[in-house]
């Protein structure tokens, strides 16, 4: 017999699972139980004392894209703001500063009046052709790439054989995405698009800032999206852990429970269905409806379930 029973059981209480649990508990009326290995919930929203004592840093989540990261949550959870999630709108986004003369390059954000004109004036100091290229790409991005990216990010994957939103935009000649870009790195793409070394440097910088190796094969499309998606950047006042605190409060107020320092040892599978979890201390937790796992695919397959639970056509390696 299980020691605890919930409708939904969560392996991990990171930023994505916290948002999922908010929707499940508030709008689905489900009783959720979240089990986190770390000493606190939040995942990429956490603030850690690093790299030196007394220095608190956000290692994952410093700036956010408003539409991609927060717009739906602010609309569906107005109490978030009441619980401390408030944001500032920076004038410029992800700039690159050059040490030699303190000059800088980068786009103004959509929050700045005439942001396109100001970005053009800034970039043309390095290359007028590059400034014109940027405006043309930004227009294509706003019309084709960003809507496709939002559709892709906020919907379940399409079944095999049916193109998803990003694949459709790549196949659309009007979108301006050249097929060979898919085989390039973000650095190679920046060099193809821009003639100025300074603007090339900035073009590859957003990918690096998001944790993507700009020299990695196939990183060009992600780099292109990141080059422009930061133009609606916001910064959470007081640090991104405010999001974690507010989300936990929403979950608690709707009957959910969160357990820190509670590592999951195994997801219990019976007849091909996730029935619950077993914690490292031996506690077993039943999931009436299912288990939501926030772990990476490698840990999910090899540590939490076992490859015998997966069919051969699942690309988990």
């Amino acid at each position: 017999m299980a020691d605890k029973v919930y409708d939904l059981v969560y392996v991990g209480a990171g930023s994505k699972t916290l948002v999922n649990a908010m929707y499940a508990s508030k709008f689905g009326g489900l009783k959720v139980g979240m089990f986190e290995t770390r000493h606190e919930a939040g995942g990429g929203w956490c603030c850690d004392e690093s790299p030196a004592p007394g220095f608190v840093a956000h290692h994952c989540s410093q700036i956010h894209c408003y539409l991609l990261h927060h717009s739906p949550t602010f609309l569906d959870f107005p109490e978030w703001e009441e619980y401390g999630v408030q944001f500032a709108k920076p004038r410029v986004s992800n700039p690159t500063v050059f040490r030699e003369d303190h000059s800088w390059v980068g786009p103004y954000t959509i929050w700045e009046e005439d942001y396109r004109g100001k970005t053009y004036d800034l970039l043309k100091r390095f290359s007028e052709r590059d400034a014109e290229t940027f405006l043309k790409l930004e227009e294509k991005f706003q019309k084709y790439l960003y809507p496709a990216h939002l559709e892709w990010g906020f919907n379940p994957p399409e079944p095999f054989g049916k193109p998803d939103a990003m694949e459709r935009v790549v196949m659309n000649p009007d979108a301006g995405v050249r097929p060979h870009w898919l085989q390039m790195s973000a650095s190679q793409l920046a060099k193809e698009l821009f003639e100025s070394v300074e603007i090339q440097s900035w073009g590859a910088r957003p990918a690096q800032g998001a944790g993507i190796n700009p020299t990695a094969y196939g990183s060009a499309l992600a780099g292109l999206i990141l080059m422009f998606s930061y133009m609606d950047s916001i910064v959470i006042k007081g640090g991104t852990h405010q999001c974690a605190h507010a989300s936990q409060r929403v979950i608690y107020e709707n009957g959910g429970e969160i357990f820190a320092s509670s590592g999951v040892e195994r997801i219990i599978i019976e007849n091909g269905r996730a029935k619950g979890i077993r914690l490292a201390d031996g506690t077993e937790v039943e999931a009436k409806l299912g288990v939501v796992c926030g772990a990476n695919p490698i840990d999910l397959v090899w540590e939490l379930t076992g490859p015998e639970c997966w069919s051969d056509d699942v690309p988990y390696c």
Side-chain angles (χ1 to χ4, degrees):
M1 184 174 178
D3 300 287
K4 296 178 181 291
V5 179
Y6 298 93
D7 295 318
L8 282 180
V9 171
Y10 288 79
V11 179
S15 56
K16 298 176 182 63
T17 48
L18 283 171
V19 172
N20 187 292
M22 282 201 296
Y23 279 94
S25 58
K26 179 177 178 178
F27 297 110
L30 303 177
K31 184 175 182 182
V32 304
M34 309 188 76
F35 298 84
E36 170 59 45
T37 299
R38 285 167 50 93
H39 64 284
E40 59 183 347
W45 283 337
C46 285
C47 308
D48 293 317
E49 192 175 36
S50 169
F55 185 89
V56 178
H58 306 156
H59 289 272
C60 175
S61 185
Q62 295 127 357
I63 60 174
H64 297 191
C65 305
Y66 178 70
L67 285 175
L68 187 61
H69 292 147
H70 283 311
S71 179
T73 315
F74 275 114
L75 293 173
D76 293 334
F77 299 94
E79 62 267 42
W80 236 30
E81 184 175 4
E82 177 187 345
Y83 298 161
V85 184
Q86 300 175 7
F87 61 87
K89 301 173 180 179
R91 295 181 60 207
V92 297
S93 168
N94 216 23
T96 298
V97 180
F98 303 106
R99 180 171 54 189
E100 290 79 6
D101 59 2
H102 295 172
S103 63
W104 62 278
V105 61
Y108 284 85
T109 66
I110 63 172
W111 315 115
E112 180 76 1
E113 185 179 356
D114 188 26
Y115 74 94
R116 289 188 176 92
K118 290 181 179 179
T119 299
Y120 179 86
D121 290 339
L122 175 68
L123 298 184
K124 77 176 184 180
R125 294 185 299 171
F126 300 94
S127 165
E128 190 163 356
R129 195 201 80 172
D130 288 352
E132 292 173 356
T133 298
F134 178 87
L135 290 188
K136 291 176 183 176
L137 287 170
E138 198 265 344
E139 183 180 358
K140 294 283 189 182
F141 174 80
Q142 297 294 350
K143 186 174 182 180
Y144 297 105
L145 264 174
Y146 208 20
H149 192 209
L150 294 173
E151 180 184 340
W152 177 82
F154 288 116
N155 289 281
E158 296 286 0
F160 287 113
K162 182 179 180 181
D164 63 24
M166 291 304 297
E167 290 169 329
R168 294 196 305 272
V169 82
V170 169
M171 292 186 289
N172 180 2
D174 294 334
V177 179
R178 299 179 180 178
H180 71 275
W181 289 358
L182 302 181
Q183 315 301 323
M184 297 171 66
S185 69
S187 295
Q188 289 172 326
L189 178 62
K191 290 177 181 178
E192 178 173 314
L193 293 175
F194 306 116
E195 64 180 8
S196 162
V197 174
E198 291 84 359
I199 298 179
Q200 290 174 3
S201 175
W202 165 76
R205 176 68 180 88
Q208 182 189 38
I212 299 172
N213 182 350
T215 65
Y217 171 83
S219 62
L221 185 58
L224 180 66
I225 293 171
L226 289 165
M227 198 185 301
F228 296 98
S229 59
Y230 283 127
M231 292 179 71
D232 69 349
S233 295
I234 60 172
V235 178
I236 304 300
K237 295 180 179 180
T240 54
H241 213 158
Q242 301 283 14
C243 302
H245 294 158
S247 300
Q248 291 176 77
R249 186 166 174 181
V250 172
I251 292 166
Y252 288 137
E253 288 179 350
N254 288 280
E257 296 181 318
I258 303 172
F259 301 89
S261 302
S262 299
V264 176
E265 182 180 80
R266 198 76 172 173
I267 296 176
I268 301 171
I269 307 291
E270 294 181 5
N271 299 320
R273 181 175 175 272
K275 302 285 289 187
I277 60 172
R278 182 170 62 250
L279 303 182
D281 64 3
T283 301
E284 292 198 356
V285 183
E286 179 183 344
K288 292 180 179 179
L289 298 178
V291 175
V292 179
C293 183
N296 68 68
I298 300 299
D299 288 343
L300 172 62
V301 172
W302 294 100
E303 300 293 335
L304 295 171
T305 57
E308 68 277 3
C309 297
W310 300 84
S311 63
D312 293 335
D313 60 353
V314 175
Y316 52 79
C317 294

